[in-house]
């Protein structure tokens, strides 16, 4: 056996680590890259700042290595997937960026919600996005909104009366938003301008919002609320069904609707979403004791015994 062969058998084959992938992302974001990668860096930066990493992985691919990083970013609500091809010695070979189109990993697939969570709206609503898969729920690619619901009102199949150029044209606009369960308000945002329909500014995801702590490790977030409509403050105790705000069109929202999700901490930037197991509601005319609304459902709160 030659000396060279002996050496090659003793030295492990080089393989890039996650840290190498991260270093390339940092370099692309800082524009510290070779000219041929400046365009990729620019594309990454155009989606705004990175709020959090949803998942990352390094895998081998025909003797080269692929680093895939899915992130929540400030200018695109559904998350971005960045894929970098690296050589065995961790040089950047090529890369792509595209909207995330798969479900974020979750440790809560079999979780049973303890809070008696109810639909936080009066009257009848349509589920625009809801459910567990990315096909039926475009929130699913981002960890905190993994199981979130977007709710709007429709009449004769349309969410607006007329052309829908003004927020006032939409049936959902200004409808009361209710506390989904008993709890304590942990954060509030109430000063963000509502958007003109179909014009979405980047930089702010949920717009005006209320986060409520319910039972241990269960927090609800209600977002895109109407500016100035939030009538609770951090520290306030709220009871299930109490009116706390009105439906608006703030943050990354193209038309007035309510965004509603449950999560495991009070800070959405670090939280993981929990399944939306609502109790005591009506789906397409049928009573539901406990269940998860899905895309296309028409939902309403079931009247409580006290009100019947
Ligand atoms: Zn939403």
């Amino acid at each position: 056996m030659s000396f060279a062969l002996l050496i090659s058998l003793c030295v492990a084959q080089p393989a890039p680590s996650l840290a190498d992938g991260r270093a390339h992302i940092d370099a692309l974001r800082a524009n510290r890259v070779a000219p041929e990668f400046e365009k990729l860096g620019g594309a990454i930066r155009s989606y705004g700042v990175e709020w959090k990493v949803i998942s990352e992985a390094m895998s081998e691919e025909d003797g080269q290595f692929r680093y895939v990083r899915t992130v929540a970013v400030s200018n695109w609500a559904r998350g971005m997937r960045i894929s970098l091809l690296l050589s065995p010695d961790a040089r950047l070979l090529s890369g792509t960026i595209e909207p995330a189109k798969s479900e974020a990993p979750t440790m809560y697939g079999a979780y049973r919600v303890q809070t008696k969570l109810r639909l936080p709206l009066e009257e009848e609503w349509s589920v625009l996005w809801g459910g567990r898969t990315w096909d039926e729920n475009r929130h699913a690619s981002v960890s905190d909104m993994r199981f979130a619901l977007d709710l709007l009102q429709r009449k004769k199949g349309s969410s607006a009366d007329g052309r829908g150029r003004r927020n006032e044209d939409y049936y959902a606009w200004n409808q009361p938003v209710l506390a989904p369960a008993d709890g304590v308000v942990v954060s509030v945002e109430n000063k963000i301008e509502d958007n003109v329909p179909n014009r979405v500014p980047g930089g702010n995801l949920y717009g005006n919002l209320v986060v409520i702590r319910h039972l241990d490790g269960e927090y609800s977030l209600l977002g895109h609320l109407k500016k100035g409509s939030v009538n609770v403050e951090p520290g306030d105790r709220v009871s299930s069904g109490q009116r706390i705000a009105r439906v608006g069109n703030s943050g990354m929202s193209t038309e007035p609707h309510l965004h509603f999700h449950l999560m495991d901490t009070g800070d959405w930037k670090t939280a993981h979403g929990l399944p939306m197991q609502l109790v005591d509601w009506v789906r397409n005319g049928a009573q539901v004791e406990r269940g998860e609304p899905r895309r296309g459902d028409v939902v309403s709160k079931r009247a409580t015994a006290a009100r019947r």
Side-chain angles (χ1 to χ4, degrees):
M1 186 179 284
S2 76
F3 184 65
L5 181 59
L6 186 66
I7 293 285
S8 73
L9 287 173
C10 294
V11 177
Q13 288 297 306
S17 65
L18 288 177
D20 292 315
R22 292 170 197 153
H24 283 299
I25 297 289
D26 289 346
L28 286 159
R29 283 203 164 270
N31 204 21
R32 282 186 282 102
V33 287
E36 66 263 36
F37 296 117
E38 284 177 5
K39 204 172 155 196
L40 175 63
I44 291 172
R45 289 191 298 278
S46 74
Y47 286 95
V49 299
E50 195 173 287
W51 275 328
K52 64 177 166 189
V53 177
I54 296 161
S55 65
E56 58 177 350
M58 182 76 76
S59 58
E60 192 170 351
E61 196 176 291
D62 299 331
Q64 295 170 333
F65 292 83
R66 187 165 298 282
Y67 173 72
V68 176
R69 178 185 183 92
T70 308
V71 292
V73 287
S74 61
N75 290 354
W76 181 251
R78 313 303 192 209
M80 298 303 305
R81 179 182 185 272
I82 305 167
S83 171
L84 304 180
L85 191 65
L86 307 182
S87 65
D89 60 351
R91 279 177 303 110
L92 181 58
L93 300 174
S94 65
T96 56
I97 176 166
E98 59 181 2
K101 286 178 185 158
S102 57
E103 297 86 13
T106 178
M107 52 193 147
Y108 292 114
Y111 187 82
R112 190 173 164 87
V113 175
Q114 298 302 304
T115 301
K116 291 210 178 319
L117 209 62
R118 303 204 62 201
L119 190 72
L121 295 159
E122 297 165 356
E123 303 178 1
E124 233 176 41
W125 291 75
S126 293
V127 179
L128 176 64
W129 298 114
R132 292 185 168 226
T133 66
W134 197 81
D135 281 340
E136 61 187 353
N137 193 350
R138 293 293 193 257
H139 299 102
S141 43
V142 176
S143 42
D144 60 303
M145 53 170 118
R146 175 69 180 77
F147 305 100
L149 301 175
D150 274 355
L151 298 151
L152 45 75
Q153 273 189 320
R154 286 198 180 112
K155 288 180 190 170
K156 293 178 190 156
S158 173
S159 59
D161 186 15
R163 294 187 165 184
R165 287 190 182 160
R166 305 171 312 149
N167 285 324
E168 291 79 1
D169 294 342
Y170 290 81
Y171 303 119
W173 173 254
N174 206 35
Q175 296 291 327
V177 175
L178 318 177
D182 296 348
V184 176
V185 176
V186 294
S187 64
V188 160
E189 181 62 63
N190 198 20
K191 291 181 179 160
I192 296 168
E193 291 296 333
D194 289 286
N195 307 326
V196 172
N198 299 309
R199 271 185 240 163
V200 182
N204 188 291
L205 181 51
Y206 294 117
N208 300 308
L209 60 77
V210 176
V211 176
I212 303 170
R213 185 177 71 236
H214 303 294
L215 297 176
D216 205 24
E218 297 183 355
Y219 296 74
S220 60
L221 183 151
L222 301 134
H224 308 312
L225 305 171
K226 184 184 176 189
K227 182 187 176 186
S229 74
V230 178
N231 60 17
V232 291
E233 288 176 21
D236 284 359
R237 225 161 240 296
V238 292
S239 52
S240 182
Q242 180 183 333
R243 289 187 177 190
I244 56 173
R246 287 183 177 270
V247 174
N249 188 24
S250 57
M252 280 192 220
S253 169
T254 53
E255 68 171 77
H257 74 283
L258 180 69
H259 173 103
F260 172 35
H261 76 234
L262 194 69
M263 55 189 180
D264 63 354
T265 72
D267 177 6
W268 62 264
K269 287 193 179 179
T270 56
H272 289 263
L274 302 174
M276 297 302 289
Q277 291 157 10
L278 305 190
V279 298
D280 230 5
W281 55 288
V282 178
R283 180 207 316 259
N284 307 328
Q287 311 268 327
V288 180
E289 291 288 336
R290 177 191 189 87
E292 299 174 28
R294 296 171 66 176
R295 176 167 168 78
D297 284 349
V298 174
V299 300
S300 59
K301 248 176 125 160
R302 193 162 70 174
T304 57
R307 268 198 257 147
R308 270 185 223 139

